[in-house]
Amino acid sequence: MAIRGASKHLTAGQRIRRNAMSITNPDGVTRPLPTRVAAMGVKTLDVWRDFVNRRWNAEARFLNLERMLDDEELQKHNLLPPGAPGSSPREAAVIFKLASHLKPEVQTISLANNNIGSGQMLSTLSHYLPHLANLSLQNNNLRTWRDIDYISGRKGKLEHLRELVLIGNPVRELEFQNGRGDKYKSEMARRFVSLTLLDQEAIAAISFDAPGTSGPSAPVPKGPTATTFPAEMGPSFITGIEGSIVGNFLMRFFPTFDKQRESLVNVYHPAATFSFSANTAIPIRSRIQGHHTSKDMPNQRKLEWVTWLAGGAGGSRNLGRMGHGVDKMLNSLHVGAEEAMKSMMNLPKTVHDVAGAPEKFCVDAWPVGQGESMNLFISVHGQFVEYPAQGIRSFDRSFVLAPALEGSRAKQNGWDVVILSDQLVVRAYSSHEAWTPGPMLVQAVKGEGSTSSASGHTPGPNISSQGIARMNQDLLAVDERQRPFVMQICQATGLTVKYSMDCLQNNGWDQERAIANFEQVKGNLPPDAFL
C-alpha cells in the first residue's frame, strides 16, 4: 500500500515504519533533476496549497511529502520543491506553513527521497509544526550534525518528536561505516530527548533530572508522584577486585585526609588530577525532613559555602555553573601531586567517621581498563563533619587507582595503590537513608520511615515474593512515566500490572478514583487479576 493510502488502523509510528521508512525507487533508476525557477505569487500559492491538500491523509494525520520533484502538477507549473536544484528554504517554509493549517493537526510527515542536502531547508519545520510526532527524512543528503541541529538542539524545536528516520543520509551512514554507530545513536538521543524510535529501532529512553516531553500516544498521568522505584536499592557493589584492597585504601585515606592531609602527597601519582565542586542546593527530601533548620542539628546553620566556592586554590569546578570561561576551567583542575595537595590544604578541615558509622557510607568499586593496563574505579557516597562550624555535609568522591610500583613514592610510604584521579563533590546534607538497602525513595516523605503512599492509602494486601517478582518484570514493559502510578495501584490492590493499567486508564489516571472503583468491583474479578 502506498503511503498516500495509509491504513486508518495503523498507528503513526507503524505508518512510517511500514511505508515512509522503506520506500525505494521501483525502477532503480536515478532520475535527472531539472532546473526550474518560479516566482511566488497568488497562483503559485494556490498550486502549493492544492499540492499539500492532495498529499494530506486527514484520517491518518499523515502528510506525504515524498518524491516531490516527481509530482506532475509541480512540474506543470515549474515549481521547485525542497531538494531540487535552485530551490530555497522559502518553498519549504510555504509548504510547512500550509501544513500548519491542516485539520486535524499533522502528526506524521515523510520527506523521504527528496535529495535534501541542507538542514536549512528544514529550519522552519519546528516553527510551523511544533507538535510533530513522527518524521521520515529517509534517503536524503543530510551530511553534518549542523544539518540536524536545524531541527533540534534548542527549546521549541520538535520537543514532541517520538520517531525519526535518517536511513540513507550521509550523516548516519558514514558514522556506521566508520564503526561509530553507538556515537550516532547517542548524539541523536541527546538532540531529541523525547525520541523513542530512531531508524526503525527503539532507543533507550534517558531520563537525567529533566524527562522528554510525552507524545500523544503516551499521556503522562496527573496525580501524586511515585515514592519508590520498582527495583530495590542494593548494598555496596564491589566486583572484580578483592574487597580488602578497597577497604584498606579507604580506611587509611579518609582518616589521613582529616588529620594529616599534607602527607597524602605521597599517594598521588606525579601526573594525578584533582578537582572539587560544590552543590549548594538543599535536596527536597532533606528540606522536608528539616535537617537544615532542625533544633537537633543547630550547627547546620553555621555552615558557609564561600570556602568551597572560592577556596581550594582555584574554586569550585562546577562546569554547569562556570561563569569565567576557559581560565576558570583550567585553574580549578589541579594536575600533579603537589598541585592537588595545594588545593586540598586550602579546603576546610573535615572528619569522616568511616570506622564508627559504616552505614553512613556507600561504596562501589570495579576494575576499569586504560590501554593495556587495568586500574580500579572507586565511588564513595557519605558524609563528614566540617570544622570549625561542626555542621554535616554530604559528599561524593570518585577515585581512579593503579597498583603502586616497587620503589615508587607511594610504595615507599606503605601504599599499595597510587591515585590517578580524584574528584570530590560536596553537597548540602541529606540523610544516608537514601542508599539504605530496600525500596528506593524517589520522593521526599514527611517523617523518616513513612510507608504511606502519596495518595494517602495504607499499604494494600500482602503480595508474595513471586507476585512481586512478576510485578517487577511486567512493569518493565510499561512506559517509564506511567510506571510509578501503575506500581502504586499494584501494591495497594494486589492487582496485576495489566489490570492495574486498565483500572487507571478507565479512571482517567486518577488514583483515588481507581482504588475506589477497585473496591466496588473486586468481588467480581477473576483470580488471574491478582498477583
Side-chain angles (χ1 to χ4, degrees), residues 59-73:
E59 187 177 17
R61 298 175 66 181
F62 171 62
L63 181 59
N64 176 17
L65 299 178
E66 298 176 11
R67 302 182 184 277
M68 289 186 282
L69 195 61
D70 293 340
D71 188 270
E72 293 180 358
E73 284 298 309

Side-chain angles (χ1 to χ4, degrees), residues 249-250 252-254 256-257 261 263-275 334-338 340-341 344 370 375-378 397-405 408-411 415-424:
F249 169 74
L250 297 178
R252 182 179 178 185
F253 178 88
F254 284 113
T256 306
F257 184 87
R261 194 173 298 178
S263 69
L264 286 176
V265 69
N266 298 316
V267 72
Y268 283 83
H269 189 274
T273 59
F274 169 74
S275 64
H334 309 281
V335 181
E338 283 73 20
M341 200 50 48
M344 286 184 237
Q370 183 178 11
N375 299 326
L376 173 63
F377 175 81
I378 301 179
R397 198 155 190 169
S398 301
F399 301 95
V400 176
L401 311 179
L405 300 177
S408 65
R409 189 174 183 178
K411 197 70 170 179
W415 294 93
D416 293 323
V417 294
V418 61
I419 299 174
L420 303 179
S421 174
D422 179 6
Q423 294 182 332
L424 170 64

Side-chain angles (χ1 to χ4, degrees), residues 240-490:
I241 189 72
E242 288 291 335
S244 60
I245 296 176
V246 177
N248 291 341
F249 169 74
L250 297 178
M251 291 301 292
R252 182 179 178 185
F253 178 88
F254 284 113
T256 306
F257 184 87
D258 295 336
K259 298 177 182 179
Q260 297 177 312
R261 194 173 298 178
E262 66 280 0
S263 69
L264 286 176
V265 69
N266 298 316
V267 72
Y268 283 83
H269 189 274
T273 59
F274 169 74
S275 64
F276 70 91
S277 63
N279 185 347
T280 61
I282 298 175
I284 295 176
R285 182 184 297 119
S286 184
R287 185 181 294 115
I288 290 178
Q289 293 177 334
H291 292 316
H292 295 265
T293 57
S294 170
K295 294 181 180 179
D296 297 330
M297 303 179 71
N299 293 329
Q300 295 303 100
R301 303 177 186 178
K302 302 177 184 178
L303 292 169
E304 296 183 355
W305 282 108
V306 63
T307 52
W308 291 100
L309 294 173
S316 169
R317 197 169 196 264
N318 189 333
L319 297 181
R321 300 181 182 179
M322 281 289 184
H324 302 286
V326 176
D327 288 343
K328 174 66 174 177
M329 295 174 65
L330 293 176
N331 293 336
S332 58
L333 179 62
H334 309 281
V335 181
E338 283 73 20
E339 290 299 315
M341 200 50 48
K342 178 181 177 181
S343 174
M344 286 184 237
M345 293 301 295
N346 278 277
L347 296 177
K349 183 179 178 181
T350 59
V351 172
H352 299 73
D353 190 14
V354 291
E359 73 278 1
K360 296 181 180 180
F361 298 85
C362 178
V363 180
D364 298 320
W366 56 86
V368 291
Q370 183 178 11
E372 296 182 355
S373 62
M374 189 63 67
N375 299 326
L376 173 63
F377 175 81
I378 301 179
S379 174
V380 185
H381 310 282
Q383 64 186 61
F384 61 78
V385 177
E386 180 182 317
Y387 285 83
Q390 299 186 50
I392 304 176
R393 306 269 198 201
S394 291
F395 77 93
D396 311 297
R397 198 155 190 169
S398 301
F399 301 95
V400 176
L401 311 179
L405 300 177
E406 290 295 334
S408 65
R409 189 174 183 178
K411 197 70 170 179
Q412 291 174 356
N413 285 273
W415 294 93
D416 293 323
V417 294
V418 61
I419 299 174
L420 303 179
S421 174
D422 179 6
Q423 294 182 332
L424 170 64
V425 177
V426 179
R427 301 180 281 107
Y429 174 72
S430 183
S431 173
H432 59 273
E433 66 183 10
W435 56 75
T436 300
M440 290 192 288
L441 296 178
V442 296
Q443 174 186 325
V445 180
K446 290 187 177 181
E448 295 187 18
S450 171
T451 59
S452 62
S453 73
S455 62
H457 292 285
T458 56
N462 291 329
I463 302 175
S464 67
S465 58
Q466 293 88 346
I468 293 175
R470 177 187 172 188
M471 177 186 72
N472 290 337
Q473 181 64 36
D474 291 346
L475 281 169
L476 296 176
V478 177
D479 186 283
E480 251 188 315
R481 294 155 294 183
Q482 299 170 339
R483 193 178 300 163
F485 301 87
V486 177
M487 183 183 68
Q488 287 189 23
I489 295 298
C490 290

Side-chain angles (χ1 to χ4, degrees), residues 23-84:
I23 294 175
T24 57
N25 192 331
D27 55 15
V29 177
T30 302
R31 300 180 181 178
L33 299 175
T35 301
R36 298 186 290 270
V37 179
M40 191 70 69
V42 175
K43 183 178 180 181
T44 300
L45 189 60
D46 289 340
V47 175
W48 282 120
R49 183 180 291 108
D50 176 69
F51 167 76
V52 170
N53 289 335
R54 284 190 289 106
R55 295 293 190 100
W56 171 233
N57 184 332
E59 187 177 17
R61 298 175 66 181
F62 171 62
L63 181 59
N64 176 17
L65 299 178
E66 298 176 11
R67 302 182 184 277
M68 289 186 282
L69 195 61
D70 293 340
D71 188 270
E72 293 180 358
E73 284 298 309
L74 297 185
Q75 292 176 0
K76 177 181 176 181
H77 291 88
N78 293 324
L79 294 183
L80 296 174

Side-chain angles (χ1 to χ4, degrees), residues 107-123:
Q107 187 177 65
T108 303
I109 286 182
S110 176
L111 284 158
N113 299 291
N114 280 305
N115 199 42
I116 296 173
S118 170
Q120 192 173 4
M121 288 288 181
L122 310 171
S123 60

